Amino acid sequence: MRFTYSDEQAMLLDSILRFGQEHFPPTERHRLIRQGRSGETDAWARMADLGWLLLPIAEECGGLGGGIIELMALGEGFGRNLVPGPYMASCVLAPALLARGGAVQDDLIEQIGAGEAIVAAALLEDDGGYDLHHVATRATGSDEGWTLDGAKAHVEDGGDAEWFIVPARTAGGVRDRDGLSLFLVSASAPGLRVERFRAVDGHRHARLELEGVAGQLIGSQGDALADIEAAVARASCGYLAEAVGSMEAVSAITLDYLRTREQFGKPIGSFQVLQHRMVDMTVACEEARAMLCHIALSIPKGDAAFQRAVSAAKVRISECGIYVGQQAVQLHGGVGFSDELIVSHHLKRQMMLAIAHGSIDHHRMRFAA
Amino acid sequence: MRFTYSDEQAMLLDSILRFGQEHFPPTERHRLIRQGRSGETDAWARMADLGWLLLPIAEECGGLGGGIIELMALGEGFGRNLVPGPYMASCVLAPALLARGGAVQDDLIEQIGAGEAIVAAALLEDDGGYDLHHVATRATGSDEGWTLDGAKAHVEDGGDAEWFIVPARTAGGVRDRDGLSLFLVSASAPGLRVERFRAVDGHRHARLELEGVAGQLIGSQGDALADIEAAVARASCGYLAEAVGSMEAVSAITLDYLRTREQFGKPIGSFQVLQHRMVDMTVACEEARAMLCHIALSIPKGDAAFQRAVSAAKVRISECGIYVGQQAVQLHGGVGFSDELIVSHHLKRQMMLAIAHGSIDHHRMRFAA
Amino acid sequence: MEFELDPADLAFREEVRAFFATGIPDEWRTRVRAGLRLNPEELVAYQKRLAARGWGAPTWPVEYGGTGWSPIRQYIFWTEAAEADAPAQFHQGLELIGPIIFTYGSQELKDRYLPGIVNADDWWCQGYSEPNAGSDLASLRTRAVRDGDDYVLNGQKAWTSYGHVASHCFVLARTSDEPKRQQGISLLLVDMKTPGITIRPVATMDEKHHTNEMFLDDVRVPAANLVGEEGRGWEYGKVLLDRERMVTASVAIFLIQTVKAIREAASRRTIGGVRLIDMPGFKAKLAQYEIEVTALQTMVLRVMADAAAGTDSGPLGSMIKLRWSQLSQAGTALWVGALGPRAAHFAPLDNSHDLPADMPYAMQGALYARVTSIYGGSSEIQHNIIAQRALGLKG
Amino acid sequence: MEFELDPADLAFREEVRAFFATGIPDEWRTRVRAGLRLNPEELVAYQKRLAARGWGAPTWPVEYGGTGWSPIRQYIFWTEAAEADAPAQFHQGLELIGPIIFTYGSQELKDRYLPGIVNADDWWCQGYSEPNAGSDLASLRTRAVRDGDDYVLNGQKAWTSYGHVASHCFVLARTSDEPKRQQGISLLLVDMKTPGITIRPVATMDEKHHTNEMFLDDVRVPAANLVGEEGRGWEYGKVLLDRERMVTASVAIFLIQTVKAIREAASRRTIGGVRLIDMPGFKAKLAQYEIEVTALQTMVLRVMADAAAGTDSGPLGSMIKLRWSQLSQAGTALWVGALGPRAAHFAPLDNSHDLPADMPYAMQGALYARVTSIYGGSSEIQHNIIAQRALGLKG
């Protein structure tokens, strides 16, 4: 049993940290993010060159077959420097869903891995909360193929996607666990209305309305839910590691600030109240990291244990991350609230990570179920 | 609009404080409480002499007709010195229920006021939570009167009661709001089994099992719930004021300790973390007191507003009281945990007050309803 | 204790309620509930409407154009304003400099500046904070050097809220060096059109432009614009302590707007056909929030009643500031939580996309709320103040 | 990272599981889950059973009668013990003085005292704290004066846990006055039957007799019972820092018992026919608790893995102590809450009355839990330690 990364994983993390510092140093990052996708394309191409876009893709799909721990190293690295981009959506979640099969899908996975396509999964619907089984969108089959009707309330990182993976009902009622199938839909498909939004962390999401939109069935019919849940749990691990990386980074920045910033003639880190707050932030980081380990420990116990561990981690890591982010801003005072320092950006990312693929409340009840 | 007691109310509070110091100074209090009721009888007789037992009883029942504010002054005074005894149960709750009518009841109210009888209301049942409308106990009428069958899970301050006021169904299903009637039952009635328990704060409660127990109907039949709820809300005001008195007292004791206790060569109150904790305790006391005022402000708005205000106050005062009690113990360190100082007794009383007539969770949902 | 309003106050309440029954545009609502300031033009229009009714300065004495209202009437006024989703009045002129001018200023300054504040002809901003000062205000470095009939100002100010909008600024500057850092500081009234003033916007995490850096390069201010005596500016600032208590108190009343906003958001959203507001988990959270807001409101009322009775409220002002910022943060966070996944939809990237009904303001309010525990004396400073002044605990 | 146990460890787990499948009486369960110590006789019986199996000292080297287990095996052992509702072993001999004796003690002391600890023939208590010392341990006043072959002890000790049961006591006493208060302190092993020792029970808020005052009046201790060198007792205490980390870590594992207790209590109680555990509000609270316990368990496992790898865990030990006490308190409070109104039924006043199934221990555990954030370095001290040692923040 070992709680540290293997040498190879540590090297990966190290490269990602250097990549983040190089492509997204705090000041540049700001400017690039304001440019939308175009500000990220250089970095994305570089990631493709480095093979990172292929890393989490299964070997049988032509990827490098990275496991959860590799994904965590990636996420942690991204989180430390707040590297933007639709990585978890397009390189982790989408390929896992596309792996359900089909020749077209293989091509698409290849494009994803080469940095040539961005794909996002449209999983949430109005009135569905964060429940993946809540799908009112219907697929109708005919000789000419499938057409989809319905709406998707939120597509994580769907703002730049050329393709959407859309769960739709081929059978069953809105909240049934059976009867779900996955369809691949082009972002430019007739009948599809895509609304795009920017979140406070710079990520770009989408909302879909589908009226008679053509979709290609991915894999078999009616049994997609288990794969969706597994894929989301997997992608969530990347996000959770990102949250841990981000909170550790902002915690370190804050500790440094406490040591150097002077008020009333002494470093503010000499005030006991701020010392203890910093300790609580440090404990929160430790707890969060422990929850990543808890996920890793659950893997050998099978998928149900793994998903439950992910929900547990989602609850605690989100709570810790938001706490650390808020306190980092608070301890920095006015400059913490400014947009200039990276500090507030960590808080905003934590707030968004906390609701990506399910809020704290959602996952707490899922854990309890 | 005035937030301070009137001169008369302030004088009442003052007498109660002196009474508490005289009869229950911390060391004596301990010894007396261990004796059970017999340790409290002298003080109870003195309270009868002073007319305090009559104070909360309605004028039309022969009492002094004290209002909610007088009750708060009483409760606050009791809380400051942790005066024991079944005051709220026997002098507030019971007379308010007995006021529903009947000649025997008038006699009993007189005895209560004279300190000659202790009466407790048996309001809670297993499977009922803190819901006053949950009553499975049934009353059967015949030519010879009423007999009661059922069980009561908890009778607040019922450990020394000579009489119990027992809600029972004369109609309706277990959780119906209609069909409840009140019965007076002697503690020595055949068929009644009384189990008596001591709580951690020294109060003595009871649990009842009734098998064909004779009971006298109090007032009219089938419509008792509104009166029960009103009477409980009224008695709760006394408890809430007691909680505020107790938390302010233990907060003051703690502040004094911080100023005088030395560690590492200086008063522990010079450590910023303890200063801020003490501030949080002080804020909690202020919030709690504000909730008492909120109740008072709600009185002119009618009974529904009053009961909702009581539920709101129950939530916040209980939270604040437990917080203050816990922190008082914590800041005192080892001696705070000892039984010798009054400090831990405040915490224990706060814990018990927090569940008397409904837990925090119960009242939060009642407020939200 | 007496908790009923007397008949005259009840009648006053009706009058205020009638006033607020109209004139508050619907499009203000979400921003107001999110604790965000309206646009300057909107705030000016609101202030002018109040001034026209004679209610421009609810806390000022009648002789300076105020209403002369008792604290209880002020409470009634703010409560009714809050209930009607009216905004809080912009406070920098009304509460921060106005009272200093009418307490310490010359007759000339009173005549020249007070009406402009009440009627919203002028917009004042505050030049107190400096880049490296933070919570340690007395460490300020901006200098004012007397030169003939003028003072010449040089220095840099930070966190100059609404400096980009203001017509005037009140500036603390050092006029002499004294052993005690709080001495030798003077208070000057500055026209923002004076040459040498540069305003640079400071971007903040809520993506709303409200604050600035201000650079003062040889800014000449007539000596007549000195408030009171030279070197006593720090002292004058103290008059604010009492008043700031009332400012926070009045703002705290407006939290009932946040409660409404959360309730509406949670009534709109359903999960599996059940409204969020009917789900036990959310219901309990909202109830808890409403109860804590109620406690705070009642603390505010107590401050008002104390003020009416001439009683000292002790540290209650600091406590209200503390709790208010906590509840601003908790409330907006709960609101954003009620939006579900769409809380990620902060700004449309193309035209004509519908944001959720209360976005982006719910999120912007949640972000903005983070600064409420930093400005005006951070929560840590409030704790220190209460510990030292009210509890007598010394470092 | 590697998270799977190797086959030998898996086999070891089976062995431990089999051991705990029997021999844990049902009547221990509630007390154990409430974090309360069993009676001394029960603890002795348990320790003897472990010793008979060769598992009396899980953390000691084999040469002193320990198991020599790797940290991972210790973790497995404690996890299995916890799952089986076995108690934590009484630690004062095993973890507090035993390791000091085998690290610093003479061969004579080792031979004389170590077997008695492992086999539970002796019961050790700790004589460190003093009445006015509190968190400032180094301010101790008990004196040991050399007189011939003896030291003569005079002084007063506070919080002598299980002093009323103990056969032996390890005492810190001042043997000389030095400028640095931590110097001149010596560690002596004292037989509790020595004349001059008086034990006076201290009543505590949980109504369980576990602690005492100890008065030492001319207590003669053979000089051979000095551990190590005179005047270096404070230093020896430091070896405990490392070990205490493991003690807390092992105790923290036992919180899974509290989770079970809460779940059972909430499964028993119904409101309107619905089990408490099926109500969303309670369900969420228990889930939150279980998640936080999970985080702590994993932190413990990390300490164990670090120890196995010979890596320094830094402040993780202090963090575990902090979080463990918070969770002990939160868990027992949740349990008591699950009892509903009957949480007020702490002790029957007449005979033959039935308490709720888990009373009085649930309540007693909740009361006892309040001291967990006070003893063994209060939570405030733990914060100081982490701030200073791990974060390098200086007062």
Side-chain angles (χ1 to χ4, degrees), chain A residues 127 130 153-154 193 195-199 204 207 261 263-264 277 326 330 334-335 337-339 348 352 361, chain C residues 133 135-136 159 203 205 207 270-273 285 340-342 344-347 349 353 363 370 373 380:
Chain A
D127 189 42
Y130 294 96
H154 173 74
R193 176 178 159 81
E195 298 184 355
R196 296 179 174 86
F197 304 93
R198 176 176 63 80
R204 292 172 297 277
R207 191 169 174 272
R261 163 78 169 165
Q263 289 254 283
F264 304 104
R277 192 88 51 83
Q326 289 177 341
Q330 179 72 23
V335 295
F337 183 67
S338 82
D339 215 36
K348 290 197 270 191
M352 292 295 102
D361 287 350
Chain C
S135 291
D136 185 10
W159 312 116
M205 69 179 283
E207 300 197 16
T270 60
I271 301 176
K285 281 193 208 174
R342 298 211 63 194
H345 299 184
F346 182 64
L349 286 170
H353 291 344
M363 176 59 80
R370 301 315 312 174
S373 54
E380 291 78 12

Side-chain angles (χ1 to χ4, degrees), chain B residues 27-197:
Chain B
T27 43
E28 272 302 277
R29 186 182 166 280
H30 221 129
R31 191 182 60 78
L32 292 168
I33 277 190
R34 265 191 233 107
Q35 298 171 16
R37 182 69 193 159
S38 66
E40 297 163 13
T41 43
D42 287 356
W44 197 256
R46 177 87 182 115
M47 285 165 78
D49 288 348
L50 289 162
W52 293 350
L53 305 187
L54 278 171
L55 190 72
I57 296 174
E59 284 182 27
E60 54 274 30
C61 298
L64 298 174
I68 295 286
I69 310 298
E70 282 72 28
L71 195 53
M72 287 181 177
L74 270 163
E76 181 178 342
F78 291 158
R80 289 198 162 262
N81 292 303
L82 291 180
V83 170
Y87 188 91
M88 298 303 160
S90 190
C91 301
V92 183
L93 180 55
L97 294 173
L98 290 169
R100 279 172 60 83
V104 182
Q105 288 78 335
D106 286 353
D107 285 354
L108 191 51
I109 289 177
E110 204 181 307
Q111 289 176 44
I112 291 172
E116 290 157 10
I118 292 181
V119 184
L123 304 175
L124 303 180
E125 299 196 356
D126 281 326
D127 189 41
Y130 295 96
D131 293 335
L132 299 171
H133 61 279
H134 183 109
V135 175
T137 301
R138 299 224 148 244
T140 317
S142 75
D143 293 348
E144 289 139 53
W146 295 90
T147 56
L148 309 178
D149 290 274
K152 297 292 176 178
H154 173 74
V155 186
E156 184 76 15
D157 275 342
D160 303 308
E162 286 103 11
W163 297 92
F164 294 106
I165 298 169
V166 180
R169 291 229 159 257
T170 45
V174 173
R175 290 178 67 81
D176 284 354
R177 297 187 59 84
D178 289 327
L180 288 185
S181 307
L182 289 181
F183 297 89
L184 187 63
V185 171
S186 162
S188 54
L192 177 67
R193 176 179 158 81
V194 184
E195 298 183 355
R196 296 180 175 87
F197 304 92

Side-chain angles (χ1 to χ4, degrees), chain C residues 49-105:
Chain C
R49 182 168 170 242
L50 290 177
R53 183 69 172 80
W55 294 352
T59 65
W60 290 18
V62 174
E63 57 181 311
Y64 303 120
T67 59
W69 283 336
S70 70
I72 296 300
R73 292 210 168 178
Q74 294 172 25
Y75 181 83
I76 292 170
F77 177 76
W78 288 319
T79 304
E80 293 301 321
E83 289 286 358
D85 288 318
Q89 289 167 266
F90 191 75
H91 66 295
Q92 298 212 348
L94 268 178
E95 300 300 337
L96 300 192
I97 190 61
I100 293 185
I101 293 176
F102 68 63
T103 309
Y104 299 105

Side-chain angles (χ1 to χ4, degrees), chain A residues 297-340:
Chain A
L297 286 161
S298 75
I299 297 171
K301 295 177 188 157
D303 198 54
F306 170 65
Q307 291 203 27
R308 193 159 183 264
V310 170
S311 281
K314 190 76 212 285
V315 170
R316 198 57 188 156
I317 290 176
S318 302
E319 289 172 339
C320 291
I322 288 176
Y323 173 77
V324 170
Q326 289 177 341
Q327 293 308 319
V329 168
Q330 179 72 23
L331 295 190
H332 275 82
V335 295
F337 183 67
S338 82
D339 215 36
E340 220 165 293

Side-chain angles (χ1 to χ4, degrees), chain C residues 125-127 129 157-164 169 192 199 210-214:
Chain C
C125 67
Q126 175 176 284
S129 295
K157 293 290 175 179
W159 312 116
T160 313
S161 290
Y162 290 85
H164 57 300
C169 183
M192 290 295 279
I199 287 286
H210 43 75
T211 197
N212 307 276
E213 291 181 295
M214 180 169 65

Side-chain angles (χ1 to χ4, degrees), chain A residues 8 10-25 46 50 52 76-78 80-81 83:
Chain A
E8 215 167 89
M11 274 171 58
L12 173 63
L13 173 57
D14 201 51
S15 338
I16 297 163
L17 291 178
R18 270 183 287 114
F19 168 85
Q21 284 152 12
E22 195 180 312
H23 286 268
F24 300 102
R46 177 87 182 115
L50 289 161
W52 293 350
E76 181 179 341
F78 292 157
R80 289 197 164 263
N81 292 303
V83 171

